[in-house]
């Protein structure tokens, strides 16, 4: 038995994988990534694949970036971890300051956590306690969207809208109010007209706030696109209009930029496109450049101030985990921000986004392709059965077979329902964008039978 065969056997036997039906996992030889370099990952047998999903939408500058590696090595020579409960560390202090300086001006304080779901969980709890601290506990409801995805912890699932993932946990969740998905509203009710869709959605939001604003703690929205729902972009004006109405009706605005933050939209933060300054902002994924688990929730001054009081009044935010503000993760994140500050990463994005948009055109009208959607450096292509013009049966796992074929051809992707996604590192080159598009085109075309 080779080392790879032994690892595969142990992988099947001991490792329970996320979002994975383990009974099927053994049907194929598990793919084991041993190392990576630049925009490529390598398995234990030396097979190289272009990382078309940025290791689940988090890698920014490529793998083994020399400056990020050096930041990690330098910090590990000092301290790997120390608690942030009643103590601090230099990388976390510098990173909190840096994040306040680069995020929208409303945000003045930074609370660290370990992943995007937790960053949202923090925002939810801050919003709930904010109103309690102000003596208004009746403002306890959260307003969210159909098709929303904010993570997999209980609070994040409560404000999500993914029955496939989360229906089984319904009895654990707190009740929420829901608005229609702006994208679905645009294309199902407004004949694709973005202005009409934005007007209709904002009217629905205002009606809800008029009726129940006195009970609503916060509205939570993803940063301009519903990512896990299948890359469903908002029509222009949704975020700015939501901010205006939330201010008018005394409702906090939470923006979840876990997926869209750090350049994915074409700007450092998606909020910038409409000059939105939320009360709470959730960040994750790209915060550490895709190196280590790290997330942050940024809060406006008035939110933070509501937690300040004499110690005995117990208004402090009773939340935190063992690895909150881990020095290793914060040190790498600081160097990630330094790379962004130099300007070249963001300056290159318009050309890459335009190239991706142009390359997606060839998928339109194919008998084996459905909708094609893009938001900045995120894209999704629906796989269709040409015999029925409908998605393949979920149980047939055709999308997985297509991704496996693409991997054999040198591109690492994974399905999202009936979609194939393209969310590469921002360091992807023009030639590599073409490789991704051509490979997925060929793999999908082969899979049509």
């Amino acid at each position: 038995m080779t080392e790879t065969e032994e690892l595969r056997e142990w992988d099947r036997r001991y490792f329970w994988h996320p979002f994975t039906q383990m009974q099927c996992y053994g049907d194929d030889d598990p793919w084991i990534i041993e190392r990576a370099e630049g925009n490529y990952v390598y398995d234990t047998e030396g097979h190289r694949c272009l990382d078309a999903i940025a290791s689940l939408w988090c890698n920014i500058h490529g793998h083994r970036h020399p400056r990020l590696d050096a930041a990690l090595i330098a910090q590990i020579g000092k301290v790997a971890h120390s608690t942030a409960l009643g103590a601090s560390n230099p990388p976390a202090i510098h990173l909190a300051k840096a994040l306040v300086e680069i995020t929208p001006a409303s945000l003045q304080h930074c609370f660290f956590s370990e992943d995007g779901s937790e960053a949202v969980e923090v925002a939810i709890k801050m919003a709930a306690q904010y109103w309690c601290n102000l003596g208004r506990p009746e403002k306890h409801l959260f307003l969210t969207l159909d098709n929303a995805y904010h993570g997999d912890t209980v609070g994040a699932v409560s404000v999500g809208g993914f029955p496939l993932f989360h229906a089984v946990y319904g009895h654990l969740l707190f009740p929420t109010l829901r608005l229609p998905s702006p994208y679905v509203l645009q294309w199902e009710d407004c004949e694709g007209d973005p202005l009409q869709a934005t007007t209709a959605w904002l009217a629905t939001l205002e009606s809800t706030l008029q009726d129940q604003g006195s009970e609503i703690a916060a509205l939570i929205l993803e940063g301009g696109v519903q990512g896990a729902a299948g890359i469903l972009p908002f029509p222009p004006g949704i975020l700015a209009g939501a901010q205006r109405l939330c201010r008018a009706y005394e409702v906090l605005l939470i923006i979840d930029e876990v997926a869209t933050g750090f350049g994915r939209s074409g700007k450092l933060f998606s909020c910038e496109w409409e000059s939105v300054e939320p009360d709470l902002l959730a960040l994750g994924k790209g915060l550490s450049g895709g190196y280590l688990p790290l997330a942050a929730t940024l809060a406006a001054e008035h939110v933070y101030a509501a937690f300040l009081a004499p110690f005995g009044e117990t208004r402090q935010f009773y939340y935190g985990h063992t690895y909150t503000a881990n020095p290793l993760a914060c040190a790498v994140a600081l160097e990630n921000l330094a790379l962004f500050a130099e300007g070249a990463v963001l300056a290159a994005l318009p050309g890459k986004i335009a190239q991706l948009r142009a390359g997606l055109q060839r998928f339109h009208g194919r008998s084996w392709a459905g909708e094609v959607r893009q938001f900045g450096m995120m894209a999704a292509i629906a796989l269709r059965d040409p015999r029925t013009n409908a998605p393949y049966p979920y149980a047939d796992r055709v999308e997985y077979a297509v991704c496996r074929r693409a991997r054999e051809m040198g591109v690492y992707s994974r399905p999202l329902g009936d979609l194939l996604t393209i969310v590469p590192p921002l360091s992807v080159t023009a030639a590599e964008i073409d490789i991704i598009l051509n490979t997925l085109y060929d793999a999908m075309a082969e899979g049509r039978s």
Side-chain angles (χ1 to χ4, degrees), residues 257-315:
E257 288 227 37
V258 171
T260 56
F262 301 101
R264 190 60 62 182
S265 72
K267 289 186 180 291
L268 190 57
F269 300 106
S270 188
C271 290
E272 297 174 28
W273 288 105
E274 296 183 9
S275 301
V276 169
E277 297 186 9
D279 301 290
L280 292 159
L281 176 70
L283 301 175
K285 288 193 184 292
L287 175 53
S288 72
Y291 264 56
L292 288 168
L294 183 65
T297 305
L298 280 291
E301 185 64 43
H302 63 93
V303 174
Y304 177 78
F307 290 79
L308 303 179
F311 189 85
E313 293 186 15
T314 65
R315 289 192 189 184

Side-chain angles (χ1 to χ4, degrees), residues 56 60 67 70 112 174-175 199 254 274 284 309 315 327 416 439 445:
L56 208 57
I60 300 292
R67 285 175 54 180
F112 290 114
F174 59 75
T199 301
I254 303 170
E274 296 183 9
R315 289 192 189 184
L416 182 64
T439 300

Side-chain angles (χ1 to χ4, degrees), residues 3 67 93 104 131 139 209 231 300 346:
E3 181 183 5
R67 285 175 54 180
I93 295 168
W131 293 111
K139 288 178 73 67
L209 294 176
I231 317 298
L346 292 175

Side-chain angles (χ1 to χ4, degrees), residues 61-333:
H61 308 290
H63 301 274
R64 296 296 317 278
H65 191 285
R67 285 175 54 180
L68 299 184
D69 282 8
L72 180 58
I73 292 166
Q75 181 58 40
I76 207 166
K78 297 175 182 177
V79 59
H81 182 67
S82 62
T83 182
L85 277 68
S88 199
N89 67 76
I93 295 168
H94 286 294
L95 182 59
K97 178 178 182 290
L99 287 172
V100 166
E101 290 173 345
I102 64 172
T103 51
S106 59
L107 304 168
Q108 293 296 308
H109 302 275
C110 178
F111 190 97
F112 290 114
S113 54
E114 287 81 61
D115 58 53
S117 178
E118 193 188 345
V120 169
E121 199 86 15
V122 167
I124 290 168
K125 291 182 176 177
M126 283 181 175
Q129 188 175 340
Y130 169 80
W131 293 111
C132 289
N133 285 355
L134 293 183
R136 300 179 66 180
E138 72 279 2
K139 288 178 73 67
H140 66 284
L141 293 175
F142 285 82
L143 186 55
T144 184
L145 299 182
D146 293 334
N147 299 322
Y149 180 82
H150 296 287
D152 301 309
T153 54
V154 171
V157 171
S158 295
V159 296
F162 248 68
L164 176 64
F165 294 169
H166 301 141
V168 68
Y169 308 119
H171 62 291
L172 300 176
L173 310 181
F174 59 75
T176 58
L177 302 174
R178 295 190 176 275
L179 297 169
S181 161
Y183 179 89
V184 173
L185 182 69
Q186 177 181 347
W187 292 100
E188 291 190 359
D189 297 338
C190 298
E191 299 180 337
D193 184 330
L195 179 59
Q196 183 183 347
T198 297
T199 301
W201 188 88
L202 291 174
T204 302
L205 170 60
E206 184 158 28
S207 176
T208 302
L209 294 176
Q210 287 173 342
D211 291 343
Q212 292 183 268
S214 62
E215 300 175 90
I216 297 172
L219 165 65
I220 182 168
L221 298 172
E222 291 166 77
V225 62
Q226 293 187 288
I231 317 298
L232 306 180
F234 294 172
I238 291 291
L239 293 182
Q243 175 178 259
R244 174 178 56 81
L245 291 172
C246 283
R247 298 286 186 271
Y249 289 90
E250 294 187 290
V251 168
L252 297 180
L253 177 62
I254 303 170
I255 301 295
D256 174 358
E257 288 227 37
V258 171
T260 56
F262 301 101
R264 190 60 62 182
S265 72
K267 289 186 180 291
L268 190 57
F269 300 106
S270 188
C271 290
E272 297 174 28
W273 288 105
E274 296 183 9
S275 301
V276 169
E277 297 186 9
D279 301 290
L280 292 159
L281 176 70
L283 301 175
K285 288 193 184 292
L287 175 53
S288 72
Y291 264 56
L292 288 168
L294 183 65
T297 305
L298 280 291
E301 185 64 43
H302 63 93
V303 174
Y304 177 78
F307 290 79
L308 303 179
F311 189 85
E313 293 186 15
T314 65
R315 289 192 189 184
Q316 54 263 52
F317 188 48
Y318 285 104
Y319 189 94
H321 287 182
T322 301
Y323 287 97
T324 296
N326 172 260
L328 295 176
C330 290
V332 175

Side-chain angles (χ1 to χ4, degrees), residues 344-366:
V345 175
L346 292 175
L349 289 179
K352 294 179 182 182
I353 291 168
Q355 181 185 353
L356 179 58
R357 181 180 299 112
L360 289 167
Q361 297 305 308
R362 68 185 297 216
F363 291 85
H364 289 284
R366 302 297 96 184

